[in-house]
Amino acid sequence: MAQSLPVASTAPAILRDLATDRPDTTESPFTINAGHVQIETTLFGYARAPRDAAGQREERFEIGTTNVRLGVADRLEVNLVLRPYGLTVPGGGARRTEGIGVIDLRAKYNLWGDDGGATAFAVLPYLSIPTDRSNGLSPPDVEYGVLLPLSIELGGRLGLGLNAGVAVRQPDVGARYRVSVPLTASLAVAWSDRIGGYYEVASEVAGGKNPAVSLNTGFTWLASESLQFDTGIGFGVAGRADRISPFFGVSARF
């Protein structure tokens, strides 16, 4: 979830423009200033999976999923991603599950472009820790991976965000870990100094399976130099990507 271009700000030059890792799937290469905290929250999200082999369709709801970003050095931040409540409703009358989801520990190091330039690039390793392996909301075991976010200014209020990486996951309890490759591209458009939008293609490729592909779009509204609201929707077009996934959220810097 990233905005490819930092939005306009009237803050002093020492404070970077507000750049968020939401609302799109593509992560931003920009870090927040040392000593600052940025909280980015999905206030409400919904996802409807494609039908399974039995013709059933799963629905998922999330409330309050939050990425807490802490600036610890000039080009380094650490993140704690919390999922305080999720609800899964399987098709066919199966028992629904609810509870706390997985916790992510992440770090982002910007190699260049944090303070200006036509491009910016970062490294973002992460670790996902299950909180309850029985509630259907957490993975069966620890997962980990790394993302490489790149941002390119295209001029004319346009920016391009690109992500590539590696994710190592265990699909089921006792199963072997599998490696997948997430790939995303997000075109950001600054419609005005306060309103922006994005158009994104997100995919994940795993060996022996059809790639999961979704087309996503959304809008952002900069209420102040440190407060932004967003809304968006994704449409799965291939593989196991969720067929529809609307959401709305907020980001605030302190």
Side-chain angles (χ1 to χ4, degrees):
M1 300 177 295
Q3 187 166 309
S4 299
L5 286 177
V7 295
S9 171
T10 57
I14 58 172
L15 186 62
R16 297 181 185 121
D17 291 344
L18 183 68
T20 62
D21 279 344
R22 59 169 302 116
D24 56 2
T25 305
T26 305
E27 302 289 349
S28 156
F30 304 105
T31 64
I32 64 173
N33 291 77
H36 284 263
V37 176
Q38 193 160 300
I39 298 176
E40 306 180 3
T41 300
T42 299
L43 298 174
F44 177 81
Y46 167 80
R48 188 175 67 200
R51 295 188 185 277
D52 60 19
Q56 304 301 323
R57 183 157 24 208
E58 180 182 271
E59 294 179 294
R60 299 189 307 277
F61 302 82
E62 62 174 318
I63 297 176
T65 298
T66 298
N67 182 7
V68 181
R69 302 172 59 188
L70 173 64
V72 296
D74 183 47
R75 293 185 293 170
L76 175 66
E77 67 175 58
V78 294
N79 306 157
L80 176 64
V81 183
L82 305 170
R83 296 169 176 83
Y85 181 75
L87 170 65
T88 298
V89 183
R95 184 178 66 89
R96 72 179 192 177
T97 57
E98 58 185 315
I100 300 172
V102 65
I103 294 175
D104 293 341
L105 303 177
R106 317 190 324 173
K108 184 193 297 186
Y109 182 73
N110 177 271
L111 281 84
W112 72 79
D114 242 353
D115 296 302
T119 64
F121 183 72
V123 177
L124 197 165
Y126 66 88
L127 180 70
S128 298
I129 303 172
T131 59
D132 185 346
R133 292 175 172 86
S134 65
N135 68 2
L137 301 169
S138 287
D141 211 334
V142 172
E143 301 179 344
Y144 53 93
V146 63
L147 291 172
L148 302 175
L150 172 67
S151 177
I152 304 171
E153 289 193 26
L154 302 177
R157 292 183 173 266
L158 297 176
L160 180 64
L162 301 171
N163 279 187
V166 173
V168 182
R169 300 190 177 100
Q170 187 182 40
D172 298 295
V173 176
R176 296 176 58 184
Y177 276 85
R178 294 180 180 176
V179 176
S180 61
V181 178
L183 300 167
T184 69
S186 183
L187 178 67
V189 182
W191 299 110
S192 70
D193 289 341
R194 293 191 177 272
I195 299 176
Y198 69 90
Y199 305 91
E200 179 184 51
V201 178
S203 68
E204 186 161 344
V205 181
K209 292 187 176 181
N210 293 329
V213 181
S214 64
L215 303 179
N216 313 319
T217 188
F219 296 94
T220 61
W221 173 54
L222 186 67
S224 72
E225 63 187 18
S226 295
L227 179 64
Q228 178 174 279
F229 295 91
D230 63 66
T231 186
I233 189 169
F235 300 96
V237 295
R240 295 300 300 170
D242 291 326
R243 289 303 179 250
I244 187 170
S245 52
F247 63 86
F248 62 91
V250 62
S251 300
R253 177 175 57 189
F254 302 93

